Amino acid sequence: MTKLNARFDLNHCDEIGKVCTVFNLRKASRAVTQLYEEIMRPSGTLPTQFTLLAATRAMGPVTISRMAKELVLDRTTLTRNLKPLEREGLLIVVCVKDDQRSREVSLTSKGIRKLEESIPYWIDAQNKTRQALGSERLDRMIADLKRTAGATSDLV
Amino acid sequence: MTKLNARFDLNHCDEIGKVCTVFNLRKASRAVTQLYEEIMRPSGTLPTQFTLLAATRAMGPVTISRMAKELVLDRTTLTRNLKPLEREGLLIVVCVKDDQRSREVSLTSKGIRKLEESIPYWIDAQNKTRQALGSERLDRMIADLKRTAGATSDLV
DNA sequence: ATATAACTAGTGTATATACACCTATAAGGA
DNA sequence: TCCTTATAGGTGTATATACACTAGTTATAT
């Protein structure tokens, strides 16, 4: 009688790649990120930076910590990811009056313009992805991804 | 009559985060990666490095380029990701006899041991993820992720 | 046989990500 | 009030990721 997990031993490492959640997630992330980067390249905005601009716009003036938690992003990672956008003058991070510890992120008018100009390229990437995957699969997967982000980040 | 894409203008940036494929994929990736890192920490192997070890074991001696293509990973990224594993003596990259351009990656016995020791922690992470998401959703999502990686990497 | 094209790989640079550690400020209790 | 604790944030370091560029090797065409 073989053990249930016998297929995960050294002689069946190909099975690991086939069923590993984190591997398949990261692999798909790379593929989709590469596609979005290619399509959005003419806009001069990286997809990761685009989502930061959109998140800042959506959340209004927001502290680093709150934004990081919302994005399931380490706080220090967010600090660093904001740097290139600050340097380009697309957003500003300023101290909060009521709490000298906190700093709030906001878009500048230049950042708003940049975001607006990038949206058509992002829509193009969205449409090409939908075309490639089919609406049904894509909508289902995004719903599953949301659930995954919520359920697993609760465990950490 | 409003345009179909009207909800993606500057006044509805919250919609962008809700429907953006690359954002939701990366966010879920971060959440799951964080969970795997926490669970696998005692093994001393990062989940990304674990998958590289398993892929090397599965693909046998394999050139950098072929491995990169298989993993939907930029070739130069793979070169750099192999570095810490080489440094620890878990794998070696050697020149190929027949083609002086190519270099092949193989596990060392130390790498095989390390992989074997890490598998139980990986199984634990796999099980906890399955528990959190439910088998049906997880299996469906992984199938969708595979399809996504294949379909979008073909477009680039 | 040689010139050119195609292929394989590495480096420099930049962004993305997170942990350990540190500093400063706010909140709360003795 | 003052001491302790909790909270908000930044830096140093390391890995993950990709592009532009470079160098060497093999294949191909004339």
Side-chain angles (χ1 to χ4, degrees):
Chain A
M1 191 61 176
T2 48
K3 275 176 54 188
L4 253 179
N5 283 330
R7 65 198 168 108
F8 294 136
D9 67 15
L10 283 174
N11 298 320
H12 300 81
C13 280
D14 53 330
E15 290 291 327
I16 292 180
K18 287 182 189 160
V19 301
C20 178
T21 307
V22 73
F23 168 68
N24 283 287
L25 254 172
R26 293 181 71 93
K27 182 173 161 185
S29 273
R30 287 192 294 268
V32 171
T33 300
Q34 285 163 20
L35 180 63
Y36 275 68
E37 278 179 356
E38 179 176 296
I39 296 173
M40 295 181 69
R41 196 179 313 275
S43 77
T45 308
L46 294 169
T48 41
Q49 301 190 344
F50 175 81
T51 57
L52 278 189
L53 292 177
T56 304
R57 173 75 182 183
M59 303 175 73
V62 59
T63 65
I64 306 261
S65 287
R66 205 172 85 69
M67 191 169 178
K69 181 168 258 181
E70 187 72 31
L71 302 178
V72 192
L73 202 58
D74 189 87
R75 177 183 54 73
T76 67
T77 300
L78 179 56
T79 296
R80 291 207 154 99
N81 290 359
L82 292 176
K83 277 280 149 50
L85 299 169
E86 270 183 281
R87 197 191 315 133
E88 286 190 58
L90 304 179
L91 50 79
I92 48 174
V93 187
V94 295
C95 289
V96 176
K97 197 71 180 298
D98 300 339
D99 187 338
Q100 294 298 332
R101 297 169 299 181
S102 301
R103 300 182 64 202
E104 275 178 348
V105 189
S106 316
L107 290 190
T108 62
S109 51
K110 188 179 175 188
I112 294 175
R113 224 177 312 131
K114 185 81 169 178
L115 173 59
E116 194 168 22
E117 288 166 3
S118 303
I119 288 179
Y121 297 91
W122 171 76
I123 290 179
D124 189 23
Q126 287 280 104
N127 287 338
K128 285 199 168 67
T129 305
R130 184 165 295 271
Q131 186 90 34
L133 300 183
S135 273
E136 196 184 346
R137 179 181 297 109
L138 180 59
D139 291 339
R140 181 179 65 208
M141 184 173 75
I142 287 183
D144 286 341
L145 289 170
K146 282 185 209 291
R147 189 73 173 250
T148 300
T152 58
S153 67
D154 285 346
L155 295 182
V156 178
Chain B
M1 191 63 175
T2 48
K3 275 177 54 186
L4 253 179
N5 283 330
R7 63 198 170 109
F8 293 135
D9 67 15
L10 283 173
N11 297 321
H12 300 81
C13 281
D14 53 329
E15 290 290 328
I16 293 180
K18 285 183 189 159
V19 301
C20 179
T21 308
V22 73
F23 168 67
N24 282 286
L25 254 172
R26 293 182 71 93
K27 182 173 162 185
S29 274
R30 287 193 294 267
V32 171
T33 300
Q34 284 164 20
L35 180 63
Y36 275 68
E37 278 179 356
E38 180 176 296
I39 295 172
M40 295 181 68
R41 196 178 313 274
S43 77
T45 307
L46 294 169
T48 41
Q49 302 191 344
F50 174 81
T51 58
L52 278 188
L53 292 177
T56 304
R57 173 74 181 183
M59 304 176 73
V62 60
T63 64
I64 306 259
S65 286
R66 205 173 85 70
M67 192 170 178
K69 181 168 257 182
E70 188 72 32
L71 302 177
V72 191
L73 202 58
D74 188 90
R75 178 184 52 77
T76 68
T77 300
L78 179 56
T79 296
R80 290 206 155 100
N81 289 0
L82 292 176
K83 277 282 150 47
L85 299 168
E86 269 185 282
R87 197 191 314 133
E88 285 189 59
L90 303 178
L91 51 79
I92 49 174
V93 186
V94 295
C95 289
V96 177
K97 197 72 177 301
D98 300 338
D99 186 339
Q100 294 299 332
R101 295 171 300 183
S102 300
R103 299 182 65 200
E104 276 178 347
V105 189
S106 316
L107 290 189
T108 62
S109 51
K110 188 179 175 188
I112 294 174
R113 223 177 311 130
K114 185 78 170 181
L115 173 58
E116 193 168 24
E117 289 166 4
S118 304
I119 288 179
Y121 296 92
W122 171 76
I123 291 178
D124 190 22
Q126 287 280 103
N127 287 339
K128 286 200 167 67
T129 305
R130 184 166 294 271
Q131 186 90 35
L133 301 183
S135 274
E136 196 184 345
R137 178 181 298 110
L138 180 59
D139 291 338
R140 182 178 63 207
M141 185 173 74
I142 287 184
D144 287 341
L145 289 171
K146 282 186 210 290
R147 188 74 173 248
T148 300
T152 58
S153 67
D154 285 345
L155 295 184
V156 178

